[in-house]
Amino acid sequence: MHTRTAGASLFTDLEPLLEQVSKPIQYVGGELNSTVKDWDCGGDVTVRWALMYPDAYEVGVPNQGSMILYEVLNERPDVLAERTYAVWPDMEALMRSQGVPQFTVDAHRAVGDFDVLGISFSTELGYTNLLTALDLAGIPLHARDRVDGDTIVIAGGHAAFNPETIADFVDAAIIGDGEEAVLMVSDLIAAWKREGMPGGRHELLLRLAKTGGVYVPAFYEVTYLPDGRIQRIAPTEHGVPWRVSKHTVMDLDEWPYPKQPLVPLAESVHERMSVEIFRGCTRGCRFCQAGMITRPVRERSITGIGEMVEKGLAATGFEEVGLLSLSSADHTEIADITKGLADRYEGTNTGLSLPSTRVDAFNIDLANELTRNGRRSGLTFAPEGGSERIRKVINKMVTEDDLIKTVSAAYGAGWRNVKLYFMCGLPTETDEDVLQIAELAKRVIETGRQVSGRKDIRCTVSIGGFVPKPHTPFQWVGQLSADETDARLEKLRDAIRSDRRLGSSIGFRYHDGKPGIVEGLLSRGDRRVGAVIEQVWRDGGRFDGWSEHFSYDGWMAAAEKAFAASPWPIDVDWYTTREREESEVLPWDVVDSGLDKEWLWQDWLDALDETEVDDCRWTPCFDCGVCPQMNTEIEIGPTGKVLLPLTVLGAGKAGMAEQAHTHA
Amino acid sequence: MARRTPEGPPPPPAVQKLRLRYAKRGRLRFSSTRDFSRALERALRRAGVPMAFSAGFHPHPKISYANAAPTGTASEAEYFEISVTERVDPEALRVALDAALPPDLDVLEVVEAGPGSLAERLEGSVWHLEMRGVTLETLTYAVERFLATELAEVTRTFKTGPKTFDVRSAVVSMVATESDDPSCAILQMVVRHTTPSVRPDDILTALRAVTELSPPVPPLVTRLAQGPLLTATAGVADPLAADKEAVGS
């Protein structure tokens, strides 16, 4: 047994290992704006969170959600939060051989010493990394094996909207926006500690479950029909709700986080700071889980955005600001925001970027403001579907003419490369729908050559397999198999390459169908899939989001083994390519995202009819159910305010000037 | 086809060049050169240093780095140069930049650049190795054996493949001394900068080959100084001395 005191630094044990691993900087912490607090900062009732992003540091450190919760929690005097990430296999092997447990990067404390391990799942492909972290932390893998004193494992993030797949491994899941929820949970834990921890772990979890906003899988019994479908998911404890509600933060201006974004020394996947300009999206793309589960739209005000950019840049020194949201050009005041920011940062080499821009919301003025002070990068649009017909099915209301008009404006204004994102395997899709992508790309090149008068313009087609997600109108559909996806992608590639005149100007990038099947299994899985995750992990599965680590064959072999041991006729196809009926109980029915299941079904029928649904921001409500169910409403501008000029950067310059100092 | 040029006026010209010495300490010894340059560029922006930028579509701040210590080694003597568009007070810049960098990356000295190249003055380094788990006796024996050899070849893998080179000729001096901890002897040496550069771990590899010296844990390596070689005293001089004199005159 360890004689280590709780909360003590493991750095001395870790240091020799750092000499032997790749990119050791990712394990040392000390980033600008990171926080280390006293282990007993709140006395006996200190609530301690280890926050994990279950991927490599370089992916996890810029994650907005984790950064927000880290700061929100640390602002509370009696709460401390530290960060931990998935360690690479070279480090894992050394930690195992030297007995070093999973640690936080901030103060190198053992994760098992914390009250809560909060783990944020943006994607299901991080599940095996959760198991590695639990095992390295010395926390029992299965929630049912944990006892009083063991860390409470709470999942969050978009993937937690179907918490059943990981029900074996997590004690609880928080659904929806985390800012207020983590403080609520902290209060509840502090109160329970203050009372002397009555009833131990069970009582604490029960209190959490009774709030109605925290899902505790152990308090639900799942029964099955002989054919494997779920018969019922029912609470087993008095006072535990049948369905758990998502959390919604209504006023983004009240939550201007992160105020002090982390600045890692190591290279990360986003070398910029980000300001979330609105949350939610009501465009209604039927494939898009994020758009469905984050309703309604809540805008941050133009002045709130200006202030966050100003403070964030001063706190970080980043040279690029990402204006983040699900569809950034849709902000009611986007033109004033981009112009106002470009004016403010004129001459400072500070770039702006809009990571998600719809074809129909884009215009050249906007693009010019974005590149005025920074570097001109490529333009990316996501028509998602190749044919007009399939775009109606998925409710991506963008016409081919919209797209051609937009890209010709871009080429005309001097852009040389336009990237187009698509999906393959959408419901009702045929080869023709996908082959239409080639025609579209050729038209883009032809138009581009015409308007620019040049031959060296390019267009890149990027395409991946569609994965049906919970809480969307496509939650019932059969996923296209990996083989069929690959066959379709191959036909598309041939159609592009075979064009001698235009083909060489079109780049083609694709993701094969195999990872999508595993993602599909995990997305629409139930608690029986936990055995598969565990088997894969025991066989060495790690970092499934990384193609060099992902093993499709490993997953299939593990699934075969795990499902063979189950009493039901279930397999990977049953979870992925099988179409569900309206009446089927879905594992994620226990989560109330606000969306009315009947509305989702109706929207699915509309998809089959190729009927489009407009955006409720500018057309009447179409009764998706979220606002009345969650007692929320659309929060959008315009506010009519503008960004005033500001001496924004180089505030320290005056103090540094030579004439300000007397020389001897 | 006409070459495209960026719109707008050219960037303001550089009016002053500064040379800086910084230390890389504690856990930040694990930062790489690239990690440092990222941190530095952001710190310069936060501090409001009036940096000069290169022209073109992708303007870069004018910074040049000299001979950085390898990832994993600490240093008291790392150098780089920056150019600014408005004259600044070197000490005020030092204070502001130091405050803007993370703790353990500490700006120690800033001087206005005089004539001559800084990189050329960095002829050698003084290295200090805490040999944890190695007694003075063991280390002394290894040092004697190493110094007695005429050639000590090691092989290291570079981007272009494995390369074998002599490290003995680069070692100007090598001394074993004791520390407060009897189980941790100190290896101090002056190493000439050569191509390929001989790093402390190359010398440790050579020591292992000569005497089977094999520390149970990797030693803590610190570069104490780098500069013009002083052969007589087996040390290095201050590479910024010429700049300081130029300003003083």
Side-chain angles (χ1 to χ4, degrees):
Chain A
M1 281 303 287
H2 279 283
T3 48
R4 205 169 34 79
T5 29
S9 170
L10 297 163
F11 196 71
T12 322
D13 299 334
L14 195 61
E15 199 170 22
L17 315 190
L18 295 173
E19 307 271 358
Q20 304 164 57
V21 296
S22 64
K23 297 188 195 164
I25 190 71
Q26 67 185 309
Y27 305 114
V28 307
E31 302 91 340
L32 192 78
N33 301 328
S34 60
T35 305
V36 172
K37 292 172 82 170
D38 189 278
W39 186 247
D40 294 313
C41 61
D44 291 342
V45 295
T46 311
V47 178
R48 306 175 182 104
W49 291 73
L51 298 175
M52 178 172 196
Y53 190 87
D55 204 330
Y57 176 87
E58 63 194 80
V59 180
V61 79
N63 178 260
Q64 277 302 98
S66 311
M67 229 188 274
I68 292 169
L69 299 186
Y70 176 72
E71 200 172 336
V72 163
L73 287 166
N74 275 321
E75 277 188 0
R76 288 272 301 262
D78 51 350
V79 176
L80 75 91
E82 299 198 8
R83 296 160 298 130
T84 186
Y85 303 93
V87 297
W88 286 112
D90 62 341
M91 182 57 125
E92 184 191 339
L94 286 170
M95 287 164 69
R96 287 188 187 284
S97 72
Q98 300 302 310
V100 176
Q102 179 81 21
F103 56 88
T104 59
V105 297
D106 295 291
H108 302 98
R109 288 162 167 156
V111 166
D113 289 350
F114 286 75
D115 296 310
V116 184
L117 171 61
I119 177 158
S120 173
F121 288 109
S122 305
T123 140
E124 296 80 2
L125 296 175
Y127 291 163
T128 50
N129 286 352
L130 165 65
L131 269 56
T132 309
L134 290 174
D135 189 50
L136 285 173
I139 300 169
L141 276 195
H142 295 131
R144 63 170 175 272
D145 296 332
R146 293 176 202 146
V147 296
D148 289 356
D150 280 335
T151 304
I152 304 243
V153 181
I154 304 183
H158 287 183
F161 274 77
N162 176 16
E164 274 295 285
T165 314
I166 45 171
D168 285 353
F169 316 114
V170 302
D171 296 299
I174 296 178
I175 319 298
D177 298 338
E179 293 93 332
E180 293 166 316
V182 293
L183 294 180
M184 179 274 286
V185 170
S186 300
D187 285 340
L188 204 141
I189 295 173
W192 170 78
K193 283 190 171 186
R194 201 171 292 118
E195 292 166 36
M197 304 190 242
R201 177 185 193 85
H202 182 269
E203 167 74 16
L204 176 61
L205 290 171
L206 197 56
R207 288 186 188 186
L208 288 168
K210 284 180 177 175
T211 63
V214 180
Y215 180 64
V216 179
F219 297 152
Y220 293 80
E221 187 193 23
V222 186
T223 49
Y224 302 94
L225 298 166
D227 65 5
R229 287 179 300 155
I230 294 171
Q231 184 178 41
R232 203 171 83 129
I233 307 177
T236 56
E237 302 267 340
H238 182 71
V240 172
W242 281 83
R243 301 186 76 200
V244 177
S245 299
K246 75 163 177 179
H247 297 263
T248 310
V249 167
M250 281 314 297
D251 187 350
L252 253 52
D253 283 326
E254 276 184 19
W255 295 92
Y257 296 88
K259 295 173 183 168
Q260 305 267 323
L262 292 165
V263 188
L265 275 101
E267 188 168 12
S268 76
V269 293
H270 294 305
E271 293 286 309
R272 57 172 177 253
M273 64 163 272
S274 296
V275 172
E276 187 183 22
I277 63 171
F278 65 89
R279 200 172 288 181
C281 180
T282 40
R283 287 287 194 162
C285 302
R286 294 182 173 118
F287 57 84
C288 179
Q289 186 193 39
M292 292 289 164
I293 61 178
T294 59
R295 296 173 172 207
V297 171
R298 291 144 287 153
E299 285 189 354
R300 197 183 297 284
S301 69
I302 177 170
T303 41
I305 292 165
E307 202 170 311
M308 281 187 73
V309 172
E310 181 193 350
K311 290 187 175 160
L313 285 176
T316 62
F318 279 117
E319 58 172 25
E320 186 181 330
V321 181
L323 301 177
L324 213 69
S325 76
L326 292 172
S327 174
S328 292
D330 280 346
H331 193 288
T332 52
E333 292 178 293
I334 192 66
D336 289 332
I337 292 167
T338 49
K339 179 172 186 310
L341 290 174
D343 285 347
R344 278 186 173 182
Y345 297 98
E346 182 100 48
T348 65
N349 292 295
T350 306
L352 291 174
S353 65
L354 295 191
S356 310
T357 320
R358 282 180 65 99
V359 172
D360 47 359
F362 175 87
N363 62 64
I364 291 300
D365 290 344
L366 186 60
N368 283 334
E369 295 298 355
L370 291 176
T371 54
R372 178 140 53 107
N373 300 322
R375 296 165 185 177
R376 174 174 289 197
S377 51
L379 283 177
T380 302
F381 299 108
E384 315 283 3
S387 70
E388 212 80 38
R389 188 195 74 78
I390 201 79
R391 285 197 295 272
K392 284 184 177 155
V393 171
I394 63 177
N395 202 41
K396 185 91 189 190
M397 293 168 62
V398 172
T399 65
E400 186 164 327
D401 288 339
D402 281 341
L403 179 70
I404 295 298
K405 212 164 74 190
T406 301
V407 298
S408 75
Y411 287 124
W415 266 269
R416 294 281 167 266
N417 192 3
V418 172
K419 270 190 217 157
L420 301 174
Y421 277 17
F422 296 93
M423 282 186 290
C424 175
L426 290 161
T428 78
E429 180 186 278
T430 63
D431 285 356
E432 282 63 47
D433 292 312
V434 171
L435 290 174
Q436 188 59 33
I437 295 171
E439 298 311 311
L440 191 61
K442 289 180 206 167
R443 216 183 132 193
V444 163
I445 293 295
E446 271 186 337
T447 315
R449 286 183 184 175
Q450 253 167 39
V451 296
S452 68
R454 305 165 62 102
K455 281 219 133 186
D456 66 347
I457 55 128
R458 287 187 61 77
C459 147
T460 305
V461 168
S462 189
I463 183 164
F466 164 65
V467 179
K469 294 276 173 160
H471 304 283
T472 69
F474 291 162
Q475 63 183 357
W476 292 278
V477 307
Q479 186 176 352
L480 192 66
S481 72
D483 288 345
E484 288 170 284
T485 302
D486 292 346
R488 217 166 258 175
L489 290 175
E490 206 166 306
K491 284 178 192 165
L492 172 60
R493 189 192 58 196
D494 293 346
I496 291 174
R497 294 219 176 132
S498 65
D499 191 297
R500 289 178 164 221
R501 203 165 54 83
L502 304 169
S504 63
S505 297
I506 304 169
F508 183 64
R509 290 186 187 176
Y510 69 97
H511 298 283
D512 70 49
K514 286 174 175 174
I517 288 296
V518 172
E519 193 186 332
L521 168 71
L522 300 174
S523 292
R524 293 195 293 171
D526 54 43
R527 53 179 72 184
R528 294 170 295 188
V529 174
V532 182
I533 300 172
E534 186 172 338
Q535 186 63 49
V536 166
W537 177 76
R538 292 201 182 279
D539 295 341
R542 306 285 188 275
F543 287 94
D544 290 297
W546 297 69
S547 55
E548 61 269 47
H549 290 276
F550 174 78
S551 165
Y552 179 75
D553 295 341
W555 275 93
M556 293 307 116
E560 197 163 320
K561 200 167 160 188
F563 289 141
S566 95
W568 303 280
I570 53 175
D571 56 18
V572 173
D573 287 348
W574 190 85
Y575 282 99
T576 55
T577 58
R578 179 178 66 96
E579 184 170 331
R580 280 78 160 161
E581 286 174 9
E582 186 184 8
S583 60
E584 181 165 342
V585 177
L586 302 170
W588 52 92
D589 284 348
V590 291
V591 170
D592 186 2
S593 61
L595 296 158
D596 185 12
K597 199 174 176 185
E598 280 168 33
W599 177 79
L600 284 173
W601 181 260
Q602 186 55 50
D603 204 39
W604 165 225
L605 298 182
D606 284 348
L608 292 173
D609 284 348
E610 297 163 22
T611 303
E612 297 166 293
V613 174
D614 217 320
D615 191 315
C616 63
R617 272 171 292 182
W618 38 83
T619 58
C621 171
F622 45 76
D623 294 322
C624 74
V626 171
C627 289
Q629 181 71 14
M630 296 291 142
N631 195 23
T632 54
E633 55 188 17
I634 302 170
E635 292 286 338
I636 56 172
T639 61
K641 292 183 180 156
V642 290
L643 293 177
L644 299 172
L646 199 63
T647 311
V648 281
L649 275 182
K653 207 164 78 175
M656 211 177 287
E658 191 173 46
Q659 57 267 33
H661 295 264
T662 324
H663 287 273
Chain B
M1 207 172 291
R3 206 173 152 227
R4 292 192 308 145
T5 48
E7 294 161 28
V15 299
Q16 188 185 23
K17 191 195 237 180
L18 299 135
R19 290 178 174 156
L20 298 89
R21 175 165 77 96
Y22 73 97
K24 183 169 85 157
R25 295 169 171 155
R27 56 183 169 176
L28 288 196
R29 71 188 168 97
F30 293 106
S31 59
S32 69
T33 318
R34 292 184 60 212
D35 297 333
F36 175 75
S37 72
R38 256 191 304 275
L40 175 64
E41 286 190 30
R42 286 164 191 165
L44 288 165
R45 291 171 66 85
R46 265 196 314 279
V49 177
M51 288 300 295
F53 277 78
S54 62
F57 285 99
H58 299 286
H60 283 284
K62 289 191 172 174
I63 307 173
S64 61
Y65 300 93
N67 196 42
T71 307
T73 60
S75 176
E76 292 295 315
E78 299 296 290
Y79 293 88
F80 64 94
E81 296 175 320
I82 61 171
S83 296
V84 291
T85 57
E86 292 166 43
R87 290 192 59 82
V88 298
D89 177 70
E91 177 57 16
L93 181 142
R94 189 197 68 74
V95 172
L97 187 59
D98 187 45
L101 278 166
D104 288 343
L105 290 178
D106 300 321
V107 184
L108 304 177
E109 269 187 286
V110 181
V111 300
E112 180 162 0
S117 150
L118 172 64
E120 281 174 17
R121 290 181 211 153
L122 304 180
E123 294 173 346
S125 289
V126 181
W127 293 101
H128 176 94
L129 285 72
E130 289 178 40
M131 309 288 287
R132 295 173 290 185
V134 178
T135 62
L136 179 62
E137 192 187 356
T138 312
L139 185 62
T140 306
Y141 173 71
V143 167
E144 281 167 6
R145 290 287 303 273
F146 177 83
L147 291 176
T149 62
E150 286 188 359
L151 193 74
E153 287 195 322
V154 300
T155 303
R156 192 163 92 214
T157 308
F158 293 82
K159 273 179 192 152
T160 49
K163 197 181 268 183
T164 301
F165 53 97
D166 172 44
V167 302
R168 175 63 191 88
S169 59
V171 176
V172 178
S173 75
M174 183 187 266
V175 187
T177 55
E178 57 184 353
S179 72
D180 297 340
D181 177 358
S183 71
C184 173
I186 303 293
L187 179 66
Q188 185 141 335
M189 54 201 186
V190 176
V191 181
R192 189 193 319 275
H193 296 167
T194 51
T195 311
S197 66
V198 173
R199 306 196 304 206
D201 55 323
D202 296 323
I203 296 171
L204 289 170
T205 306
L207 282 172
R208 190 176 318 131
V210 175
T211 66
E212 289 174 352
L213 175 76
S214 147
V217 284
L220 286 174
V221 181
T222 307
R223 166 143 68 193
L224 294 181
Q226 54 176 330
L229 273 174
L230 300 172
T231 328
T233 55
V236 299
D238 178 4
L240 301 182
D243 303 301
K244 293 171 191 166
E245 277 168 30
V247 173
S249 63

